[in-house]
Amino acid sequence: MRNPPTANINKPFLSLQDVSFNKFKGPVFNNLNWHVRQNETWVITGPGGSGKTTLAEALVGQHRITKGTLKYYFLPEQENTWNLKKYVGFISFPPSERLINYGKFYYQQRFNSSDTEGIVSVTEFLQNTTGVTAQDELWAHVVKLMNLRDLLHLEIIKLSNGQTRKMLIAQALLRQPKLLILDNPFAGLDKQARHDLEALVKNLIQHDTELILITDQHDIPVWATHVLHLNNFSIQGAYTRAEYLNKNIADTAEEKRNNLPGVNTIFQNHQAAPDFKVAVKMENTTITYDGKRVLNNITWTVNQGEKWVLLGPNGSGKTTLLSLINGDNPQAFANKIYLFDRRKGTGESIWDIKRRIGFISPELHLYFRQNLLAETVAATGYTDTLFPKGQLTPQQEQTLHHFFAYYEIGHLQKKHFLQLSAGEQRLVLLIRSLVKNPEMLIWDEPFQGLSADLIQKTQELLSAYATPAKTVIFVSHYEHEIPTWINKRIYLEQGQMKELI
């Protein structure tokens, strides 16, 4: 347990004194001053693109300090900052390429059971990166704590978004860090997993692990003691939790302009009458991996123009179900599945399917690891690829401009995608899903990494898209994120359909 607060209340833990550091060869933060003491639990918050993750990366040594002093009081005297990862755990999403290089894989590989040679399992990943083995008492404790037993044999690219986050948290816990930095850890987790993680965090705080949490500025947990508020790569203020809540701090950005008419024109002027009656039809669909049924006897019909929400806990089969629709899963050919009035496997190509669908998911996000401009990544939505193909027409370029202007991120178009924050990357991928004004839109947990104002702005954009002729399938673990105009629900649990409304 922690020592009594009076023993450590004034002991310094971490301090930044007039610190400046660079990222991508340019200055980011300048003259930072921030002091953390033992028994303080800080939340770093602020609007999207304010520098929250960048600051965390600097704390774990990923960016070069050009000025000032960054001191870690918890390091043993003989240690230096070159060995920081032994004492500091940092969990972010998407994970660093140094941790998991998804660029070595192709997206459909995760659904192809015959093409997994050389891909490590969850067990191998955790043991290789921590040195802890299955014989260690700590291993059994963490596996039980994170409910990982049924995932240990799986290849890491087959994990769902929520399962990947649980694995990364387990990795950090196996290292037993003195400081643990969690970047939006609750995103992508179902209700029970969020409850379990909340209990886990409280337990860590009570057992001598100092914690820094990065989260949305309207979601300050009760166990936090202090809040560091950022905006535009500078500290706007450091507060106790009570001070922050009393001040009711909101985004300091200027009031947003209404740029919806520009994209509304795209949705209204470029919509052909649908040439199908049934978008999706599955009859007794069953998917099996390594002898385990991931989907079991699913019968489901999505008619043209219907608006559905797909619900279920982590690992319930939602991602696999969507892969059958989006043309990514080869097992679709072994089942009776109809897409856009046509039986799967009757001569259509994967591109015939994808050209009708706009798609975003946390898993797809992981595979954009190429050094492309943000506008180039968004433009791959025209070709449904991960790489650019051919020249854009003037009309396509104008469409891209309208979408970037809607989010007021035109200044990011010429920046490299991998240099953007996770929230900014998510906006680019949302634009990618919409640029061709598809007949059907599949948004799988689309709001991860977005601040409350950007979620509202994206919901308004989705509502503008969702005319009566458009078909929508929406996935979320948060009830308040589901648009009120979605009136049909399917609920999966352990690969089975438990509810259909």
Side-chain angles (χ1 to χ4, degrees), residues 2-3 13-14 36-41 72-76 79 83-90 172-181 204-205 207-212:
R2 284 185 186 269
N3 294 322
F13 183 79
L14 173 73
V36 178
R37 298 187 178 278
Q38 288 188 13
N39 295 311
E40 292 178 349
T41 302
Y72 307 87
Y73 293 91
F74 55 87
L75 290 181
E79 291 283 4
N83 204 22
L84 263 182
K85 67 178 183 180
K86 181 178 177 181
Y87 300 95
V88 182
F90 176 44
L173 296 179
L174 287 170
R175 287 176 169 168
Q176 296 184 289
K178 291 290 186 181
L179 170 63
L180 181 58
I181 304 175
L204 289 173
I205 293 171
H207 289 81
D208 293 325
T209 299
E210 301 291 341
L211 188 83
I212 295 176

Side-chain angles (χ1 to χ4, degrees), residues 64 68 364 392 424 427 450 455:
R64 185 172 65 89
L364 180 66
L392 298 182
E424 290 168 341
L427 293 181
L450 299 186
I455 291 176

Side-chain angles (χ1 to χ4, degrees), residues 412-438:
L412 300 181
Q413 284 187 242
K414 300 296 184 182
K415 284 194 173 184
H416 285 93
F417 181 75
L418 297 180
Q419 295 182 9
L420 306 182
S421 71
E424 290 168 341
Q425 290 180 5
R426 182 53 56 96
L427 293 181
V428 173
L429 295 179
L430 285 166
I431 292 171
R432 178 186 183 270
S433 73
L434 289 167
V435 289
K436 63 186 179 185
N437 194 20

Side-chain angles (χ1 to χ4, degrees), residues 20-30 54 64 66 233:
S20 300
F21 59 86
N22 289 357
K23 180 179 181 181
F24 302 117
K25 300 181 181 180
V28 183
F29 280 97
N30 288 303
T54 301
R64 185 172 65 89
T66 59
F233 291 91

Side-chain angles (χ1 to χ4, degrees), residues 13-187:
F13 183 79
L14 173 73
S15 71
L16 291 80
Q17 187 71 40
D18 296 324
V19 168
S20 300
F21 59 86
N22 289 357
K23 180 179 181 181
F24 302 117
K25 300 181 181 180
V28 183
F29 280 97
N30 288 303
N31 301 316
L32 284 184
N33 288 281
W34 181 35
H35 304 279
V36 178
R37 298 187 178 278
Q38 288 188 13
N39 295 311
E40 292 178 349
T41 302
W42 283 79
V43 168
I44 301 176
T45 192
S50 60
K52 302 184 293 293
T53 299
T54 301
L55 176 56
E57 291 169 347
L59 294 178
V60 296
Q62 293 184 19
H63 302 310
R64 185 172 65 89
I65 294 176
T66 59
K67 176 190 172 186
T69 304
L70 172 53
K71 190 162 185 178
Y72 307 87
Y73 293 91
F74 55 87
L75 290 181
E77 289 186 11
Q78 68 273 20
E79 291 283 4
N80 58 46
T81 55
W82 293 106
N83 204 22
L84 263 182
K85 67 178 183 180
K86 181 178 177 181
Y87 300 95
V88 182
F90 176 44
I91 300 170
S92 64
F93 203 84
S96 163
E97 283 190 48
R98 286 169 286 194
L99 195 59
I100 306 176
N101 185 5
Y102 287 92
K104 296 190 301 183
F105 314 120
Y106 61 91
Y107 178 67
Q108 289 80 10
Q109 192 172 0
R110 64 198 309 270
F111 305 112
N112 193 340
S113 58
S114 64
D115 192 10
T116 57
E117 184 178 351
I119 302 173
V120 298
S121 68
V122 173
T123 293
E124 292 167 329
F125 171 80
L126 292 176
Q127 293 183 352
N128 293 344
T129 57
T130 67
V132 180
T133 69
Q135 287 70 46
D136 294 323
E137 184 178 342
L138 178 62
W139 175 272
H141 174 68
V142 171
V143 167
K144 181 179 180 180
L145 197 64
M146 297 306 301
N147 194 22
L148 288 177
R149 190 167 304 280
D150 291 339
L151 304 181
L152 293 175
H153 69 286
L154 295 177
E155 291 88 357
I156 58 174
I157 66 168
K158 291 185 177 179
L159 300 179
S160 71
N161 171 48
Q163 291 168 335
T164 300
R165 288 175 182 268
K166 290 169 67 174
M167 178 187 73
L168 294 177
I169 294 171
Q171 183 213 35
L173 296 179
L174 287 170
R175 287 176 169 168
Q176 296 184 289
K178 291 290 186 181
L179 170 63
L180 181 58
I181 304 175
L182 300 176
D183 190 350
N184 281 312
F186 298 101

Side-chain angles (χ1 to χ4, degrees), residues 228-391:
L228 186 73
H229 186 244
L230 304 181
N231 191 46
N232 196 26
F233 291 91
S234 64
I235 294 177
Q236 297 296 294
Y239 310 90
T240 66
R241 182 178 185 273
E243 289 171 343
Y244 181 83
L245 295 178
N246 288 337
K247 284 177 177 292
N248 193 25
I249 296 174
D251 286 354
T252 56
E254 296 178 1
E255 186 176 345
K256 305 296 182 182
R257 296 186 297 272
N258 181 12
N259 294 315
L260 190 58
V263 292
N264 233 339
T265 302
I266 298 169
F267 296 143
Q268 293 171 355
N269 292 352
H270 304 96
Q271 53 179 353
D275 61 355
F276 63 94
K277 292 184 178 180
V278 177
V280 180
K281 185 178 181 181
M282 299 181 183
E283 296 182 7
N284 304 313
T285 295
T286 297
I287 302 295
T288 302
Y289 291 119
D290 301 324
K292 180 181 179 181
R293 287 192 173 185
V294 181
L295 290 177
N296 187 16
N297 200 32
I298 301 297
T299 296
W300 182 36
T301 299
V302 178
N303 293 309
Q304 178 261 315
E306 290 183 343
K307 310 323 192 251
W308 284 83
V309 60
L310 171 60
L311 302 169
N314 298 129
S316 60
K318 301 187 301 297
T319 299
T320 301
L321 184 69
L322 296 179
S323 73
L324 298 171
I325 301 172
N326 201 37
D328 296 314
N329 196 319
Q331 290 199 45
F333 296 102
N335 284 275
K336 196 171 183 180
I337 298 175
Y338 296 82
L339 300 174
F340 306 104
D341 287 342
R342 185 170 182 173
R343 172 79 184 266
K344 181 74 175 171
T346 57
E348 84 291 348
S349 72
I350 186 175
W351 308 112
D352 292 330
I353 297 169
K354 286 182 176 292
R355 69 179 177 82
R356 295 175 176 265
I357 299 173
F359 179 71
I360 186 174
S361 74
E363 290 79 15
L364 180 66
H365 191 163
L366 297 172
Y367 289 83
F368 280 96
R369 311 309 298 166
Q370 301 78 27
N371 192 29
L372 302 175
L373 297 180
E375 64 180 4
T376 304
V377 170
T380 62
Y382 289 119
T383 55
D384 308 300
T385 56
L386 299 182
F387 297 93
K389 288 178 63 176
Q391 294 292 318

